[in-house]
Amino acid sequence: MSSEQFDYASKVEVRTTADGSPTLYVPALDEHYHSHHGAAQESRHVFIEAGLRPLLAAGRGQDGRPLRVLEVGLGTGLNALLTLAAVEATPAAIRYDGYETYPLPPAAVAALAPQWATEPAISQAFAQLHAAPWGDATVLAPGFILTKIQAQVEVADLPNAAYDLLYFDAFAPEKQPELWTADVFATLYAAAAAGAVLVSYCAQGQFRRNLRAAGWLTEKLPGPPGKREMTRARKPT
Ligand SMILES: C[S@@+](CC[C@H](N)C(=O)[O-])C[C@H]1O[C@@H](n2cnc3c(N)ncnc32)[C@H](O)[C@@H]1O
């Protein structure tokens, strides 16, 4: 079933993952928004530690040049909120563009919110993120500007050579094959600045071949608990 066919987000169910953090389950796709081994654990490992942290360590996002992040699949906002938490105590600034085809309905946001109550890093900005308007830049915290963009990222009007860090967090290739093609990675390559980094929880061979066909240099890294490997790619400088 193609995820493009209907608004599956209107029929999601909250589930608890192995690290105690919540995720959403889409019955119609038989798919979760995160790994059942641990939603927060996976997001921290793949997007924050393998993607964001090395760039912050290299001093990126400072001196009046914010680090520009593109997320494919804003969903529950978990990656954006962990990014905010990771930079809060640093001098780095972030401009975060979260693309999402089907924003979560208020009922799903309301059902998720109490599940994050014990995670201060998430809970404090959760409501603010979901209340932010679509299509406008919103200051979530000093130095963190979020723009939620309702669009299919692969056909969106992406800026050229604009992003330093790309979080590729679509549903799995077998659930959403139309988003894991060389054409889509060529579109993201054009939107990426020279030296930009793309990270994904997925380590499939075909995924990495499609990235390379679009010009990305790829590497396999150890995955989060429950997954052997993940992928990090870089646009050559
Ligand atoms: C695996 S979930 C991850 C969600 C999110 N990163 C999170 O932590 O909750 C995939 C997300 O991608 C969104 N999505 C699916 N197709 C998309 C597309 N073509 N463009 C942008 N977002 C898309 C889905 O609606 C869903 O929210």
Side-chain angles (χ1 to χ4, degrees):
M1 182 185 299
S2 166
S3 58
E4 286 179 71
Q5 289 169 344
F6 66 101
D7 182 0
Y8 46 80
S10 63
K11 300 236 167 18
V12 291
E13 299 167 6
V14 176
R15 296 280 164 86
T16 302
T17 66
D19 67 356
S21 62
T23 189
L24 294 173
Y25 174 67
V26 189
L29 296 174
D30 187 21
E31 176 74 328
H32 292 85
Y33 275 50
H34 308 94
S35 163
H36 66 273
H37 296 288
Q41 177 177 258
E42 174 188 55
S43 291
R44 284 199 172 97
H45 181 103
V46 173
F47 301 103
I48 306 303
E49 298 307 327
L52 177 66
R53 197 76 72 191
L55 295 176
L56 293 181
R60 301 292 300 279
Q62 299 182 35
D63 303 323
R65 298 184 60 201
L67 191 73
R68 297 156 304 173
V69 181
L70 176 154
E71 177 169 23
V72 177
L74 181 71
T76 67
L78 177 57
N79 296 332
L81 294 167
L82 290 175
T83 301
L84 169 58
V87 298
E88 249 177 345
T90 76
I94 301 274
R95 285 193 72 104
Y96 197 106
D97 290 353
Y99 284 82
E100 175 56 59
T101 317
Y102 296 122
L104 290 181
V109 173
L112 263 179
Q115 308 292 318
W116 284 117
T118 55
E119 276 267 5
I122 307 299
S123 65
Q124 281 166 16
F126 186 84
Q128 210 190 338
L129 178 144
H130 286 287
W134 289 86
D136 288 333
T138 301
V139 179
L140 273 198
F144 191 101
I145 298 177
L146 169 73
T147 305
K148 303 194 300 188
I149 300 160
Q150 186 173 3
Q152 279 177 255
V153 73
E154 67 276 26
V155 291
D157 189 15
L158 298 180
N160 201 40
Y163 295 104
D164 306 302
L165 177 59
L166 295 89
Y167 293 162
F168 194 79
D169 200 12
F171 290 126
E174 54 285 10
K175 303 292 178 177
Q176 197 172 24
E178 72 280 3
L179 216 59
W180 297 80
T181 65
D183 279 353
V184 171
F185 298 125
T187 298
L188 295 178
Y189 187 91
V197 170
L198 178 152
V199 274
S200 171
Y201 64 85
C202 181
Q204 267 191 10
Q206 189 58 51
F207 166 45
R208 290 200 307 276
R209 283 191 288 281
N210 288 349
L211 278 168
R212 288 197 290 272
W216 294 92
L217 308 172
T218 66
E219 63 179 319
K220 280 191 270 188
L221 299 175
K227 287 193 177 171
R228 207 155 49 92
E229 292 169 334
M230 58 161 283
T231 299
R232 181 164 62 196
R234 189 177 297 276
K235 179 171 179 172
T237 46

